[in-house]
Amino acid sequence: MSTLLIYGATGYTGRMAAEHAKALGLNFEIGGRSHSPLATLAAYLDVPFRVFDAGPDAENALSGITVLLNFAGPFAQTAEALMRACIKAGIDYLDITAEINVYRLAETLHVEAARAQTLLLPGVGWDVVPTDSLAVHVAQRVQQPRALNIALQVPGSMSRGSARSVSEIIGAGVLARVDGELVATPEAQPRHFDFGEGPVLCAPLSFGDLVTGWHSTGIPDIAMFVHLSGDAFPEGDLSLLPDGPTAEERDGHRARAAVEVTGADGVIARSVIETMNGYSFTPLAAVEAARRVLNGERRPGFATPAQVFGGGFAQSIAGTVITDLQDR
């Protein structure tokens, strides 16, 4: 029987994913680095657990696993070792990262993974599932799409794990895709996007969509932006942050992203996607992606959610709505 391993299952989002996998009746195990919290969660869920580091010997801990779903961030510290272990063991790898360098790593491992018949599928959470689906949707609304702009709206508070990943995202610098190539754009300026309630100012920032958008749509020029509200990007001692927002806080902050695509004729098509809060969306999307891969929806090598599951994948998660705005 195919078996899913949820790694980082005792973290804020990993635990929600494990509980959802249990509710769906999936055949799965949980894993991570610390024995005591894993043992407690495994007993609660009545599932097996594995204790191992995301290091050079990780392959030895993956016997009998079909799909690995990684929730252990910052992913700069776990993704490469687990990707390489999965390639060696012939296991499909999924994660929920927003860190662009993990996508770039997966690109470099594409040939090796394809040769091993292994899927590398980072970004099966709120980044990048909604924006990946939205980019595909909007690209179909223009003739010969040439430029893609993506903006995220980040409301409410951030989990401790996400805050740690943000330092990796900021550390990557401001990048854009120009004529199909990723280039540094330190002089990029903020600009306004409409998430459905009027234009708001968004700052340039480099997320995984600079990689996935290119592979999913083939659009050669891509830029990314983010609109911050509340205490979305915390500063100071991150270890003092709570695990993450409460269920009530999540329910009070739905998530949105805006995409605009410019065609060769200059026409600009714009759409907005709205989902439940990103922290509620991510475990549902990630487990659904893993379930589909377990059931054979897969392709060898590095891929994007839209390439594997189609452009409508985000809308398969309850509460997700795409609204088309007026073309320019």
Side-chain angles (χ1 to χ4, degrees):
M1 182 181 292
S2 296
T3 301
L4 168 66
L5 177 63
I6 298 177
Y7 189 77
T10 59
Y12 175 72
T13 310
R15 183 184 179 100
M16 288 192 285
E19 291 174 344
H20 184 54
K22 182 67 176 182
L24 292 180
L26 298 186
N27 184 49
F28 75 102
E29 301 182 16
I30 61 174
R33 293 166 284 192
S34 301
H35 183 279
S36 179
L38 277 170
T40 300
L41 181 58
Y44 168 70
L45 295 173
D46 190 25
V47 297
F49 69 97
R50 305 181 184 209
V51 182
F52 64 98
D53 288 329
D57 299 324
E59 178 191 358
N60 299 327
L62 298 179
S63 175
I65 297 301
T66 311
V67 175
L68 172 68
L69 178 53
N70 180 20
F71 285 88
F75 294 88
Q77 299 176 12
T78 64
E80 181 168 7
L82 292 177
M83 283 184 189
R84 293 188 182 279
C86 285
I87 290 171
K88 291 179 181 177
I91 294 167
D92 291 332
Y93 172 92
L94 287 66
D95 72 30
I96 62 161
T97 189
E99 300 167 29
I100 186 171
N101 285 336
V102 174
Y103 296 85
R104 300 173 76 180
L105 168 67
E107 277 187 310
T108 66
L109 294 174
H110 169 73
V111 172
E112 188 177 347
R115 189 180 300 120
Q117 292 295 299
T118 295
L119 168 66
L120 299 180
L121 183 58
V124 293
W126 197 82
D127 198 77
V128 296
V129 168
T131 44
D132 198 41
S133 289
L134 190 61
V136 170
H137 170 81
V138 184
Q140 295 170 345
R141 296 179 54 204
V142 302
Q143 298 294 321
Q144 297 178 278
R146 290 292 309 168
L148 166 64
N149 289 309
I150 302 171
L152 312 178
Q153 190 174 51
V154 181
S157 60
M158 184 174 289
S159 76
R160 184 166 57 240
S162 294
R164 288 170 173 159
S165 280
V166 163
S167 64
E168 299 292 338
I169 295 168
I170 294 173
V174 178
L175 304 170
R177 191 169 291 275
V178 179
D179 290 332
E181 300 294 329
L182 278 179
V183 298
T185 54
E187 303 303 319
Q189 298 298 308
R191 50 157 298 184
H192 289 84
F193 286 84
D194 186 352
F195 295 95
E197 298 177 349
V200 294
L201 191 63
C202 300
L205 200 61
S206 305
F207 286 87
D209 303 83
L210 292 173
V211 176
T212 56
W214 162 244
H215 288 278
S216 293
T217 69
I219 296 175
D221 295 340
I222 305 175
M224 285 212 69
F225 301 82
V226 61
H227 173 66
L228 306 179
S229 61
D231 54 351
F233 278 21
E235 298 178 350
D237 187 350
L238 300 183
S239 67
L240 300 178
L241 292 175
D243 286 346
T246 65
E248 292 75 17
E249 289 170 334
R250 295 198 306 270
D251 289 344
H253 292 97
R254 286 177 64 79
R256 297 177 181 87
V259 162
E260 58 181 40
V261 175
T262 304
D265 57 1
V267 171
I268 302 174
R270 301 176 298 134
S271 298
V272 173
I273 191 165
E274 180 177 331
T275 74
M276 65 178 72
N277 185 273
Y279 288 111
S280 299
F281 182 95
T282 290
L284 301 185
V287 171
E288 174 61 12
R291 186 191 69 80
R292 293 191 185 197
V293 174
L294 285 167
N295 288 338
E297 290 186 53
R298 57 185 303 280
R299 53 186 277 177
F302 165 67
T304 71
Q307 286 178 318
V308 178
F309 310 123
F313 180 54
Q315 292 164 283
S316 71
I317 307 302
T320 300
V321 178
I322 290 177
T323 303
D324 294 334
L325 304 180
Q326 185 174 3
D327 292 351
R328 291 177 180 172

